[in-house]
mmCIF file of all heavy atoms in Angstrom:
data_model
loop_
_atom_site.group_PDB
_atom_site.id
_atom_site.type_symbol
_atom_site.label_atom_id
_atom_site.label_comp_id
_atom_site.label_asym_id
_atom_site.label_seq_id
_atom_site.Cartn_x
_atom_site.Cartn_y
_atom_site.Cartn_z
ATOM 1 N N GLY M 11 3.001 -5.904 17.067
ATOM 2 C CA GLY M 11 3.016 -6.003 15.616
ATOM 3 C C GLY M 11 2.224 -4.926 14.924
ATOM 4 O O GLY M 11 2.067 -4.904 13.800
ATOM 5 N N ASP M 62 -2.960 -19.762 4.463
ATOM 6 C CA ASP M 62 -2.319 -19.211 5.803
ATOM 7 C C ASP M 62 -3.194 -18.170 6.322
ATOM 8 O O ASP M 62 -3.485 -18.245 7.551
ATOM 9 C CB ASP M 62 -0.941 -18.485 5.526
ATOM 10 C CG ASP M 62 0.123 -19.400 5.334
ATOM 11 O OD1 ASP M 62 -0.060 -20.607 5.573
ATOM 12 O OD2 ASP M 62 1.257 -19.072 5.023
ATOM 13 N N ILE M 63 -3.958 -17.325 5.609
ATOM 14 C CA ILE M 63 -4.746 -16.340 6.064
ATOM 15 C C ILE M 63 -5.901 -16.918 6.867
ATOM 16 O O ILE M 63 -6.079 -16.554 8.003
ATOM 17 C CB ILE M 63 -5.215 -15.433 4.880
ATOM 18 C CG1 ILE M 63 -4.101 -14.640 4.418
ATOM 19 C CG2 ILE M 63 -6.385 -14.660 5.345
ATOM 20 C CD1 ILE M 63 -4.575 -13.651 3.204
ATOM 21 N N GLU M 67 -4.365 -16.570 10.456
ATOM 22 C CA GLU M 67 -4.090 -15.089 10.376
ATOM 23 C C GLU M 67 -5.172 -14.154 10.638
ATOM 24 O O GLU M 67 -5.160 -13.099 10.728
ATOM 25 C CB GLU M 67 -3.341 -14.726 9.154
ATOM 26 C CG GLU M 67 -1.915 -15.280 9.048
ATOM 27 C CD GLU M 67 -1.208 -14.977 7.669
ATOM 28 O OE1 GLU M 67 -1.801 -14.219 6.908
ATOM 29 O OE2 GLU M 67 -0.111 -15.463 7.494
ATOM 30 N N PRO M 83 -8.653 -9.399 6.043
ATOM 31 C CA PRO M 83 -7.229 -9.814 5.916
ATOM 32 C C PRO M 83 -6.747 -9.339 4.469
ATOM 33 O O PRO M 83 -5.580 -9.561 4.280
ATOM 34 C CB PRO M 83 -7.293 -11.332 6.128
ATOM 35 C CG PRO M 83 -8.648 -11.705 5.657
ATOM 36 C CD PRO M 83 -9.578 -10.575 5.822
ATOM 37 N N GLU M 84 -7.681 -8.909 3.692
ATOM 38 C CA GLU M 84 -7.224 -8.549 2.371
ATOM 39 C C GLU M 84 -8.636 -7.954 1.734
ATOM 40 O O GLU M 84 -9.505 -7.915 2.313
ATOM 41 C CB GLU M 84 -6.912 -9.821 1.491
ATOM 42 C CG GLU M 84 -8.031 -10.985 1.510
ATOM 43 C CD GLU M 84 -8.482 -11.366 0.141
ATOM 44 O OE1 GLU M 84 -7.718 -11.636 -0.822
ATOM 45 O OE2 GLU M 84 -9.730 -11.155 -0.090
ATOM 46 N N VAL M 113 -5.478 -3.590 6.471
ATOM 47 C CA VAL M 113 -5.953 -4.939 6.653
ATOM 48 C C VAL M 113 -5.152 -5.600 7.758
ATOM 49 O O VAL M 113 -4.273 -5.083 8.194
ATOM 50 C CB VAL M 113 -5.623 -5.675 5.285
ATOM 51 C CG1 VAL M 113 -6.262 -5.053 4.109
ATOM 52 C CG2 VAL M 113 -4.161 -5.801 5.065
ATOM 53 N N ARG M 115 -3.659 -9.043 9.812
ATOM 54 C CA ARG M 115 -3.405 -10.543 9.834
ATOM 55 C C ARG M 115 -2.590 -10.838 11.126
ATOM 56 O O ARG M 115 -1.666 -9.981 11.458
ATOM 57 C CB ARG M 115 -2.471 -10.790 8.497
ATOM 58 C CG ARG M 115 -3.268 -10.423 7.302
ATOM 59 C CD ARG M 115 -2.417 -10.761 6.120
ATOM 60 N NE ARG M 115 -3.121 -10.466 4.888
ATOM 61 C CZ ARG M 115 -2.510 -10.603 3.670
ATOM 62 N NH1 ARG M 115 -1.379 -11.139 3.495
ATOM 63 N NH2 ARG M 115 -3.210 -10.297 2.521
ATOM 64 N N GLU M 117 0.128 -12.349 12.506
ATOM 65 C CA GLU M 117 1.417 -12.924 11.971
ATOM 66 C C GLU M 117 2.460 -12.655 12.942
ATOM 67 O O GLU M 117 2.291 -12.019 13.992
ATOM 68 C CB GLU M 117 1.964 -12.108 10.614
ATOM 69 C CG GLU M 117 0.879 -12.128 9.497
ATOM 70 C CD GLU M 117 1.508 -12.030 8.207
ATOM 71 O OE1 GLU M 117 2.298 -12.992 7.965
ATOM 72 O OE2 GLU M 117 1.322 -11.056 7.559
ATOM 73 N N ARG M 118 3.596 -13.401 12.644
ATOM 74 C CA ARG M 118 4.782 -13.119 13.554
ATOM 75 C C ARG M 118 5.441 -11.813 13.113
ATOM 76 O O ARG M 118 5.863 -11.727 11.884
ATOM 77 C CB ARG M 118 5.695 -14.271 13.393
ATOM 78 C CG ARG M 118 6.704 -14.432 14.622
ATOM 79 C CD ARG M 118 7.207 -15.961 14.596
ATOM 80 N NE ARG M 118 8.002 -16.135 13.412
ATOM 81 C CZ ARG M 118 9.303 -15.524 13.284
ATOM 82 N NH1 ARG M 118 9.834 -14.891 14.217
ATOM 83 N NH2 ARG M 118 9.941 -15.866 12.114
ATOM 84 N N GLN M 120 7.692 -8.936 12.129
ATOM 85 C CA GLN M 120 9.130 -8.751 11.772
ATOM 86 C C GLN M 120 9.228 -7.414 10.913
ATOM 87 O O GLN M 120 8.086 -6.785 10.672
ATOM 88 C CB GLN M 120 9.602 -9.847 10.783
ATOM 89 C CG GLN M 120 9.221 -11.274 11.083
ATOM 90 C CD GLN M 120 9.312 -12.221 10.012
ATOM 91 O OE1 GLN M 120 10.341 -12.016 9.077
ATOM 92 N NE2 GLN M 120 8.372 -13.139 9.904
ATOM 93 N N ALA M 121 10.452 -7.065 10.564
ATOM 94 C CA ALA M 121 10.519 -5.850 9.714
ATOM 95 C C ALA M 121 9.652 -6.167 8.417
ATOM 96 O O ALA M 121 9.768 -7.084 7.672
ATOM 97 C CB ALA M 121 12.058 -5.776 9.346
ATOM 98 N N GLY M 122 8.785 -5.065 8.236
ATOM 99 C CA GLY M 122 7.946 -5.220 6.922
ATOM 100 C C GLY M 122 6.884 -6.162 7.166
ATOM 101 O O GLY M 122 6.184 -6.465 6.078
ATOM 102 N N ARG M 123 6.674 -6.737 8.197
ATOM 103 C CA ARG M 123 5.543 -7.681 8.425
ATOM 104 C C ARG M 123 4.826 -7.288 9.712
ATOM 105 O O ARG M 123 5.337 -7.513 10.827
ATOM 106 C CB ARG M 123 6.017 -9.144 8.523
ATOM 107 C CG ARG M 123 4.968 -10.177 8.534
ATOM 108 C CD ARG M 123 5.568 -11.503 8.268
ATOM 109 N NE ARG M 123 6.185 -11.731 6.993
ATOM 110 C CZ ARG M 123 5.530 -11.953 5.889
ATOM 111 N NH1 ARG M 123 4.153 -12.070 5.893
ATOM 112 N NH2 ARG M 123 6.165 -12.073 4.769
ATOM 113 N N TYR M 124 3.666 -6.807 9.566
ATOM 114 C CA TYR M 124 2.857 -6.337 10.713
ATOM 115 C C TYR M 124 1.441 -6.950 10.866
ATOM 116 O O TYR M 124 1.043 -7.670 10.107
ATOM 117 C CB TYR M 124 2.817 -4.813 10.620
ATOM 118 C CG TYR M 124 4.015 -4.227 10.336
ATOM 119 C CD1 TYR M 124 4.208 -3.414 8.927
ATOM 120 C CD2 TYR M 124 5.060 -4.051 11.184
ATOM 121 C CE1 TYR M 124 5.300 -2.938 8.549
ATOM 122 C CE2 TYR M 124 6.266 -3.345 10.793
ATOM 123 C CZ TYR M 124 6.364 -2.849 9.413
ATOM 124 O OH TYR M 124 7.438 -2.277 9.103
ATOM 125 N N ARG M 125 0.814 -6.808 12.014
ATOM 126 C CA ARG M 125 -0.364 -7.334 12.211
ATOM 127 C C ARG M 125 -1.499 -6.452 11.630
ATOM 128 O O ARG M 125 -2.656 -6.852 11.534
ATOM 129 C CB ARG M 125 -0.643 -7.631 13.670
ATOM 130 C CG ARG M 125 0.216 -8.837 14.189
ATOM 131 C CD ARG M 125 0.113 -9.350 15.483
ATOM 132 N NE ARG M 125 0.769 -10.550 15.723
ATOM 133 C CZ ARG M 125 1.033 -11.147 16.848
ATOM 134 N NH1 ARG M 125 0.512 -10.566 17.912
ATOM 135 N NH2 ARG M 125 1.762 -12.075 16.950
ATOM 136 N N GLN M 126 -1.191 -5.240 11.532
ATOM 137 C CA GLN M 126 -2.149 -4.327 10.659
ATOM 138 C C GLN M 126 -1.184 -3.616 9.565
ATOM 139 O O GLN M 126 -0.136 -3.113 10.091
ATOM 140 C CB GLN M 126 -2.730 -3.248 11.618
ATOM 141 C CG GLN M 126 -3.468 -2.225 10.798
ATOM 142 C CD GLN M 126 -4.081 -1.146 11.586
ATOM 143 O OE1 GLN M 126 -4.455 -1.321 12.752
ATOM 144 N NE2 GLN M 126 -4.213 0.055 11.018
ATOM 145 N N HIS M 127 -1.486 -3.716 8.345
ATOM 146 C CA HIS M 127 -0.910 -2.986 7.450
ATOM 147 C C HIS M 127 -1.773 -2.403 6.550
ATOM 148 O O HIS M 127 -2.992 -2.655 6.501
ATOM 149 C CB HIS M 127 0.264 -3.969 6.655
ATOM 150 C CG HIS M 127 -0.373 -4.853 5.712
ATOM 151 N ND1 HIS M 127 -0.722 -6.164 6.233
ATOM 152 C CD2 HIS M 127 -0.481 -4.880 4.522
ATOM 153 C CE1 HIS M 127 -1.046 -6.785 5.230
ATOM 154 N NE2 HIS M 127 -1.017 -6.145 4.095
ATOM 155 N N THR M 128 -1.301 -1.517 5.677
ATOM 156 C CA THR M 128 -2.158 -0.764 4.759
ATOM 157 C C THR M 128 -1.969 -1.202 3.351
ATOM 158 O O THR M 128 -0.796 -1.213 2.841
ATOM 159 C CB THR M 128 -1.828 0.772 4.907
ATOM 160 O OG1 THR M 128 -1.715 0.957 6.276
ATOM 161 C CG2 THR M 128 -2.800 1.769 4.176
ATOM 162 N N GLN M 129 -3.008 -1.544 2.648
ATOM 163 C CA GLN M 129 -2.872 -1.972 1.274
ATOM 164 C C GLN M 129 -3.490 -1.043 0.318
ATOM 165 O O GLN M 129 -4.614 -0.288 0.448
ATOM 166 C CB GLN M 129 -3.657 -3.253 1.029
ATOM 167 C CG GLN M 129 -2.820 -4.515 1.611
ATOM 168 C CD GLN M 129 -3.468 -5.808 1.151
ATOM 169 O OE1 GLN M 129 -4.536 -5.913 0.562
ATOM 170 N NE2 GLN M 129 -2.687 -6.947 1.545
ATOM 171 N N PHE M 130 -2.806 -0.821 -0.787
ATOM 172 C CA PHE M 130 -3.205 -0.316 -1.931
ATOM 173 C C PHE M 130 -3.684 -1.414 -2.939
ATOM 174 O O PHE M 130 -2.865 -2.289 -3.203
ATOM 175 C CB PHE M 130 -2.098 0.536 -2.753
ATOM 176 C CG PHE M 130 -2.537 0.946 -4.088
ATOM 177 C CD1 PHE M 130 -3.698 1.595 -4.426
ATOM 178 C CD2 PHE M 130 -1.609 0.838 -5.133
ATOM 179 C CE1 PHE M 130 -3.922 2.027 -5.748
ATOM 180 C CE2 PHE M 130 -1.899 1.264 -6.453
ATOM 181 C CZ PHE M 130 -3.076 1.898 -6.683
ATOM 182 N N ASN M 131 -4.986 -1.422 -3.148
ATOM 183 C CA ASN M 131 -5.427 -2.641 -3.794
ATOM 184 C C ASN M 131 -6.248 -2.249 -5.145
ATOM 185 O O ASN M 131 -6.906 -1.242 -5.256
ATOM 186 C CB ASN M 131 -6.537 -3.314 -2.957
ATOM 187 C CG ASN M 131 -7.063 -4.719 -3.467
ATOM 188 O OD1 ASN M 131 -6.433 -5.612 -3.375
ATOM 189 N ND2 ASN M 131 -8.319 -4.639 -4.003
ATOM 190 N N TYR M 154 5.732 2.187 -8.886
ATOM 191 C CA TYR M 154 7.080 2.092 -8.397
ATOM 192 C C TYR M 154 8.096 2.958 -9.191
ATOM 193 O O TYR M 154 9.028 3.420 -8.561
ATOM 194 C CB TYR M 154 7.446 0.640 -8.303
ATOM 195 C CG TYR M 154 6.512 -0.266 -7.441
ATOM 196 C CD1 TYR M 154 6.154 -1.420 -7.848
ATOM 197 C CD2 TYR M 154 5.915 0.342 -6.344
ATOM 198 C CE1 TYR M 154 5.233 -2.310 -7.295
ATOM 199 C CE2 TYR M 154 4.917 -0.433 -5.605
ATOM 200 C CZ TYR M 154 4.712 -1.686 -6.059
ATOM 201 O OH TYR M 154 3.730 -2.489 -5.477
ATOM 202 N N ARG M 207 1.018 -24.730 -2.467
ATOM 203 C CA ARG M 207 1.785 -23.875 -1.637
ATOM 204 C C ARG M 207 3.200 -24.592 -1.176
ATOM 205 O O ARG M 207 4.059 -24.012 -0.560
ATOM 206 C CB ARG M 207 1.082 -23.637 -0.228
ATOM 207 C CG ARG M 207 0.014 -22.691 -0.380
ATOM 208 C CD ARG M 207 0.583 -21.262 -0.600
ATOM 209 N NE ARG M 207 1.684 -20.770 0.296
ATOM 210 C CZ ARG M 207 1.475 -20.196 1.388
ATOM 211 N NH1 ARG M 207 0.303 -20.126 1.897
ATOM 212 N NH2 ARG M 207 2.369 -19.930 2.130
ATOM 213 N N ASP M 210 6.231 -22.688 -2.438
ATOM 214 C CA ASP M 210 6.720 -21.301 -1.968
ATOM 215 C C ASP M 210 7.199 -21.556 -0.418
ATOM 216 O O ASP M 210 7.371 -20.547 0.177
ATOM 217 C CB ASP M 210 5.855 -20.178 -2.187
ATOM 218 C CG ASP M 210 4.536 -20.107 -1.247
ATOM 219 O OD1 ASP M 210 4.400 -21.114 -0.471
ATOM 220 O OD2 ASP M 210 3.941 -19.139 -1.288
ATOM 221 N N LYS M 212 9.587 -21.519 2.539
ATOM 222 C CA LYS M 212 10.842 -20.890 2.692
ATOM 223 C C LYS M 212 11.892 -21.603 3.583
ATOM 224 O O LYS M 212 12.889 -21.204 3.727
ATOM 225 C CB LYS M 212 10.682 -19.465 3.338
ATOM 226 C CG LYS M 212 9.541 -18.697 2.676
ATOM 227 C CD LYS M 212 9.933 -17.463 2.014
ATOM 228 C CE LYS M 212 8.867 -16.758 0.958
ATOM 229 N NZ LYS M 212 7.634 -16.328 1.530
ATOM 230 N N VAL M 259 3.516 -19.014 -6.498
ATOM 231 C CA VAL M 259 2.089 -19.540 -6.370
ATOM 232 C C VAL M 259 1.461 -18.493 -5.552
ATOM 233 O O VAL M 259 2.156 -17.718 -4.743
ATOM 234 C CB VAL M 259 1.904 -20.877 -5.937
ATOM 235 C CG1 VAL M 259 2.701 -21.873 -6.950
ATOM 236 C CG2 VAL M 259 2.698 -21.072 -4.579
ATOM 237 N N ARG M 260 0.234 -18.511 -5.529
ATOM 238 C CA ARG M 260 -0.477 -17.758 -4.553
ATOM 239 C C ARG M 260 -1.253 -18.638 -3.516
ATOM 240 O O ARG M 260 -1.587 -19.717 -3.866
ATOM 241 C CB ARG M 260 -1.583 -16.799 -5.255
ATOM 242 C CG ARG M 260 -1.135 -15.984 -6.350
ATOM 243 C CD ARG M 260 -0.162 -15.060 -5.743
ATOM 244 N NE ARG M 260 -0.599 -14.021 -4.785
ATOM 245 C CZ ARG M 260 0.164 -13.336 -4.048
ATOM 246 N NH1 ARG M 260 1.529 -13.497 -4.152
ATOM 247 N NH2 ARG M 260 -0.211 -12.505 -3.295
ATOM 248 N N GLY M 261 -1.124 -18.157 -2.271
ATOM 249 C CA GLY M 261 -1.809 -19.037 -1.302
ATOM 250 C C GLY M 261 -3.302 -18.924 -1.454
ATOM 251 O O GLY M 261 -4.032 -19.569 -0.610
ATOM 252 N N LEU M 262 -3.884 -18.132 -2.255
ATOM 253 C CA LEU M 262 -5.394 -17.951 -2.304
ATOM 254 C C LEU M 262 -5.830 -18.982 -3.378
ATOM 255 O O LEU M 262 -5.461 -18.965 -4.448
ATOM 256 C CB LEU M 262 -5.677 -16.476 -2.514
ATOM 257 C CG LEU M 262 -4.912 -15.598 -1.684
ATOM 258 C CD1 LEU M 262 -5.277 -14.206 -1.977
ATOM 259 C CD2 LEU M 262 -5.100 -15.843 -0.122
ATOM 260 N N TYR M 265 -7.052 -17.974 -7.147
ATOM 261 C CA TYR M 265 -6.108 -17.475 -8.178
ATOM 262 C C TYR M 265 -6.119 -18.452 -9.317
ATOM 263 O O TYR M 265 -5.944 -19.690 -9.111
ATOM 264 C CB TYR M 265 -4.836 -17.218 -7.588
ATOM 265 C CG TYR M 265 -4.654 -15.885 -6.983
ATOM 266 C CD1 TYR M 265 -4.961 -15.618 -5.715
ATOM 267 C CD2 TYR M 265 -4.303 -14.809 -7.771
ATOM 268 C CE1 TYR M 265 -4.875 -14.404 -5.099
ATOM 269 C CE2 TYR M 265 -4.278 -13.450 -7.226
ATOM 270 C CZ TYR M 265 -4.542 -13.384 -5.783
ATOM 271 O OH TYR M 265 -4.374 -12.031 -5.376
ATOM 272 N N PHE M 270 1.816 -12.750 -9.996
ATOM 273 C CA PHE M 270 3.040 -12.032 -10.101
ATOM 274 C C PHE M 270 3.325 -11.367 -8.861
ATOM 275 O O PHE M 270 2.546 -11.261 -7.962
ATOM 276 C CB PHE M 270 3.109 -10.917 -11.309
ATOM 277 C CG PHE M 270 2.040 -9.715 -10.889
ATOM 278 C CD1 PHE M 270 2.427 -8.534 -10.425
ATOM 279 C CD2 PHE M 270 0.730 -9.838 -11.414
ATOM 280 C CE1 PHE M 270 1.558 -7.486 -10.125
ATOM 281 C CE2 PHE M 270 -0.154 -8.843 -11.047
ATOM 282 C CZ PHE M 270 0.337 -7.647 -10.516
ATOM 283 N N GLU M 271 4.636 -11.007 -8.665
ATOM 284 C CA GLU M 271 5.020 -10.332 -7.491
ATOM 285 C C GLU M 271 6.015 -9.337 -7.882
ATOM 286 O O GLU M 271 6.710 -9.505 -8.974
ATOM 287 C CB GLU M 271 5.786 -11.222 -6.396
ATOM 288 C CG GLU M 271 4.729 -11.972 -5.594
ATOM 289 C CD GLU M 271 5.279 -12.801 -4.407
ATOM 290 O OE1 GLU M 271 6.509 -12.825 -4.295
ATOM 291 O OE2 GLU M 271 4.553 -13.496 -3.713
ATOM 292 N N VAL M 272 6.270 -8.249 -7.143
ATOM 293 C CA VAL M 272 7.310 -7.353 -7.387
ATOM 294 C C VAL M 272 8.167 -7.408 -6.264
ATOM 295 O O VAL M 272 7.704 -7.244 -5.169
ATOM 296 C CB VAL M 272 6.819 -5.865 -7.640
ATOM 297 C CG1 VAL M 272 8.157 -5.006 -7.946
ATOM 298 C CG2 VAL M 272 5.887 -5.869 -8.861
ATOM 299 N N ILE M 277 13.908 -4.283 1.280
ATOM 300 C CA ILE M 277 13.002 -4.750 2.179
ATOM 301 C C ILE M 277 13.206 -6.343 2.514
ATOM 302 O O ILE M 277 12.478 -7.002 2.989
ATOM 303 C CB ILE M 277 11.550 -4.577 1.916
ATOM 304 C CG1 ILE M 277 11.268 -5.058 0.469
ATOM 305 C CG2 ILE M 277 11.197 -3.197 2.142
ATOM 306 C CD1 ILE M 277 9.747 -4.990 0.053
ATOM 307 N N GLN M 280 12.731 -11.972 1.057
ATOM 308 C CA GLN M 280 11.490 -12.622 1.398
ATOM 309 C C GLN M 280 10.241 -11.710 1.167
ATOM 310 O O GLN M 280 9.121 -12.303 1.014
ATOM 311 C CB GLN M 280 11.429 -13.150 2.771
ATOM 312 C CG GLN M 280 12.458 -14.193 3.179
ATOM 313 C CD GLN M 280 12.000 -15.015 4.273
ATOM 314 O OE1 GLN M 280 10.962 -14.788 4.842
ATOM 315 N NE2 GLN M 280 12.809 -16.108 4.588
ATOM 316 N N ASN M 281 10.377 -10.480 1.155
ATOM 317 C CA ASN M 281 9.332 -9.617 1.195
ATOM 318 C C ASN M 281 9.099 -9.093 -0.160
ATOM 319 O O ASN M 281 9.893 -8.268 -0.639
ATOM 320 C CB ASN M 281 9.613 -8.496 2.178
ATOM 321 C CG ASN M 281 9.522 -8.989 3.665
ATOM 322 O OD1 ASN M 281 8.757 -9.976 3.921
ATOM 323 N ND2 ASN M 281 10.083 -8.387 4.568
ATOM 324 N N ALA M 282 7.873 -9.298 -0.632
ATOM 325 C CA ALA M 282 7.582 -8.703 -1.837
ATOM 326 C C ALA M 282 6.844 -7.438 -1.569
ATOM 327 O O ALA M 282 6.270 -7.210 -0.603
ATOM 328 C CB ALA M 282 6.413 -9.736 -2.632
ATOM 329 N N VAL M 283 6.914 -6.404 -2.495
ATOM 330 C CA VAL M 283 6.364 -5.089 -2.304
ATOM 331 C C VAL M 283 4.939 -5.137 -2.823
ATOM 332 O O VAL M 283 4.030 -4.408 -2.428
ATOM 333 C CB VAL M 283 7.195 -4.069 -2.845
ATOM 334 C CG1 VAL M 283 7.133 -4.028 -4.438
ATOM 335 C CG2 VAL M 283 6.918 -2.582 -2.283
ATOM 336 N N CYS M 284 4.668 -6.166 -3.756
ATOM 337 C CA CYS M 284 3.189 -6.277 -4.126
ATOM 338 C C CYS M 284 3.157 -7.809 -4.598
ATOM 339 O O CYS M 284 4.076 -8.427 -5.090
ATOM 340 C CB CYS M 284 2.822 -5.250 -5.203
ATOM 341 S SG CYS M 284 3.055 -5.862 -6.928
ATOM 342 N N GLY M 285 1.798 -8.114 -4.573
ATOM 343 C CA GLY M 285 1.527 -9.479 -5.039
ATOM 344 C C GLY M 285 0.155 -9.441 -5.801
ATOM 345 O O GLY M 285 -0.640 -8.699 -5.328
ATOM 346 N N GLY M 286 -0.045 -10.101 -6.827
ATOM 347 C CA GLY M 286 -1.288 -10.111 -7.443
ATOM 348 C C GLY M 286 -1.426 -11.247 -8.540
ATOM 349 O O GLY M 286 -0.584 -12.020 -8.700
ATOM 350 N N PHE M 306 -4.088 -6.596 -7.912
ATOM 351 C CA PHE M 306 -2.967 -6.821 -7.065
ATOM 352 C C PHE M 306 -3.026 -5.986 -5.920
ATOM 353 O O PHE M 306 -3.933 -4.951 -5.795
ATOM 354 C CB PHE M 306 -1.509 -6.412 -7.758
ATOM 355 C CG PHE M 306 -1.450 -4.917 -7.937
ATOM 356 C CD1 PHE M 306 -0.763 -4.256 -6.850
ATOM 357 C CD2 PHE M 306 -1.703 -4.201 -9.023
ATOM 358 C CE1 PHE M 306 -0.613 -2.798 -6.884
ATOM 359 C CE2 PHE M 306 -1.683 -2.963 -9.155
ATOM 360 C CZ PHE M 306 -1.022 -2.191 -8.158
ATOM 361 N N ALA M 307 -2.288 -6.352 -4.833
ATOM 362 C CA ALA M 307 -2.306 -5.458 -3.576
ATOM 363 C C ALA M 307 -0.822 -5.252 -3.198
ATOM 364 O O ALA M 307 0.016 -5.955 -3.403
ATOM 365 C CB ALA M 307 -3.079 -6.149 -2.382
ATOM 366 N N SER M 308 -0.587 -4.011 -2.662
ATOM 367 C CA SER M 308 0.736 -3.554 -2.368
ATOM 368 C C SER M 308 0.674 -3.014 -0.970
ATOM 369 O O SER M 308 -0.206 -2.088 -0.731
ATOM 370 C CB SER M 308 1.302 -2.589 -3.499
ATOM 371 O OG SER M 308 2.642 -2.230 -3.131
ATOM 372 N N GLY M 309 1.644 -3.351 -0.170
ATOM 373 C CA GLY M 309 1.630 -2.890 1.182
ATOM 374 C C GLY M 309 2.303 -1.447 1.237
ATOM 375 O O GLY M 309 3.415 -1.459 0.794
ATOM 376 N N ILE M 310 1.673 -0.458 1.768
ATOM 377 C CA ILE M 310 2.241 0.823 1.801
ATOM 378 C C ILE M 310 3.521 0.941 2.695
ATOM 379 O O ILE M 310 4.440 1.480 2.477
ATOM 380 C CB ILE M 310 1.337 1.985 2.232
ATOM 381 C CG1 ILE M 310 -0.093 1.842 1.382
ATOM 382 C CG2 ILE M 310 1.838 3.377 2.155
ATOM 383 C CD1 ILE M 310 0.113 2.153 0.018
ATOM 384 N N GLU M 311 3.402 0.116 3.815
ATOM 385 C CA GLU M 311 4.568 0.050 4.750
ATOM 386 C C GLU M 311 5.857 -0.348 4.032
ATOM 387 O O GLU M 311 6.802 0.106 4.266
ATOM 388 C CB GLU M 311 4.270 -0.786 5.952
ATOM 389 C CG GLU M 311 3.227 -0.194 6.959
ATOM 390 C CD GLU M 311 1.755 -0.486 6.443
ATOM 391 O OE1 GLU M 311 1.656 -1.045 5.274
ATOM 392 O OE2 GLU M 311 0.914 -0.009 7.121
ATOM 393 N N ARG M 312 5.570 -1.403 3.206
ATOM 394 C CA ARG M 312 6.857 -1.968 2.532
ATOM 395 C C ARG M 312 7.261 -0.947 1.360
ATOM 396 O O ARG M 312 8.454 -0.863 1.000
ATOM 397 C CB ARG M 312 6.485 -3.364 1.841
ATOM 398 C CG ARG M 312 6.437 -4.321 3.025
ATOM 399 C CD ARG M 312 6.360 -5.794 2.525
ATOM 400 N NE ARG M 312 5.994 -6.733 3.406
ATOM 401 C CZ ARG M 312 5.709 -8.026 3.214
ATOM 402 N NH1 ARG M 312 5.733 -8.480 2.008
ATOM 403 N NH2 ARG M 312 5.345 -8.729 4.219
ATOM 404 N N ILE M 313 6.343 -0.244 0.794
ATOM 405 C CA ILE M 313 6.713 0.946 -0.194
ATOM 406 C C ILE M 313 7.562 1.968 0.601
ATOM 407 O O ILE M 313 8.624 2.282 0.005
ATOM 408 C CB ILE M 313 5.451 1.504 -0.876
ATOM 409 C CG1 ILE M 313 4.667 0.444 -1.675
ATOM 410 C CG2 ILE M 313 5.818 2.594 -1.730
ATOM 411 C CD1 ILE M 313 3.438 0.962 -2.304
HETATM 412 P P1 ATP K 501 3.948 -12.833 2.146
HETATM 413 O O1 ATP K 501 4.284 -13.955 1.332
HETATM 414 O O2 ATP K 501 4.995 -11.667 2.385
HETATM 415 O O3 ATP K 501 3.147 -13.128 3.460
HETATM 416 P P2 ATP K 501 1.303 -12.451 1.001
HETATM 417 O O4 ATP K 501 1.276 -13.473 -0.134
HETATM 418 O O5 ATP K 501 0.695 -13.004 2.345
HETATM 419 O O6 ATP K 501 2.699 -11.989 1.230
HETATM 420 P P3 ATP K 501 -0.406 -10.786 -0.215
HETATM 421 O O7 ATP K 501 -1.602 -11.416 0.444
HETATM 422 O O8 ATP K 501 -0.211 -10.929 -1.620
HETATM 423 O O9 ATP K 501 0.876 -11.077 0.545
HETATM 424 O O10 ATP K 501 -0.419 -9.176 0.142
HETATM 425 C C1 ATP K 501 -0.209 -8.224 -0.799
HETATM 426 C C2 ATP K 501 0.920 -7.228 -0.319
HETATM 427 O O11 ATP K 501 0.509 -6.818 0.976
HETATM 428 C C3 ATP K 501 2.256 -7.918 -0.051
HETATM 429 O O12 ATP K 501 3.025 -7.899 -1.302
HETATM 430 C C4 ATP K 501 2.878 -6.834 0.924
HETATM 431 O O13 ATP K 501 3.400 -5.664 0.257
HETATM 432 C C5 ATP K 501 1.719 -6.536 1.739
HETATM 433 N N1 ATP K 501 1.658 -7.407 2.982
HETATM 434 C C6 ATP K 501 1.178 -8.648 3.183
HETATM 435 N N2 ATP K 501 1.318 -9.059 4.429
HETATM 436 C C7 ATP K 501 1.873 -7.965 5.122
HETATM 437 C C8 ATP K 501 2.136 -7.752 6.464
HETATM 438 N N3 ATP K 501 1.952 -8.663 7.398
HETATM 439 N N4 ATP K 501 2.801 -6.684 6.796
HETATM 440 C C9 ATP K 501 2.946 -5.665 5.904
HETATM 441 N N5 ATP K 501 2.772 -5.844 4.506
HETATM 442 C C10 ATP K 501 2.141 -6.931 4.254
#
Side-chain angles (χ1 to χ4, degrees):
D62 281 353
I63 289 180
E67 294 176 0
E84 53 121 54
V113 302
R115 299 178 183 185
E117 302 210 60
R118 201 162 63 77
Q120 313 159 39
R123 188 172 295 281
Y124 314 107
R125 291 186 174 172
Q126 174 181 330
H127 71 275
T128 310
Q129 282 191 355
F130 169 46
N131 187 79
Y154 304 138
R207 288 291 312 275
D210 75 353
K212 313 238 163 73
V259 294
R260 303 304 295 165
L262 313 182
Y265 274 90
F270 70 94
E271 281 187 358
V272 180
I277 51 172
Q280 296 204 352
N281 288 339
V283 74
C284 94
F306 76 88
S308 185
I310 308 296
E311 291 80 0
R312 289 190 194 173
I313 295 179

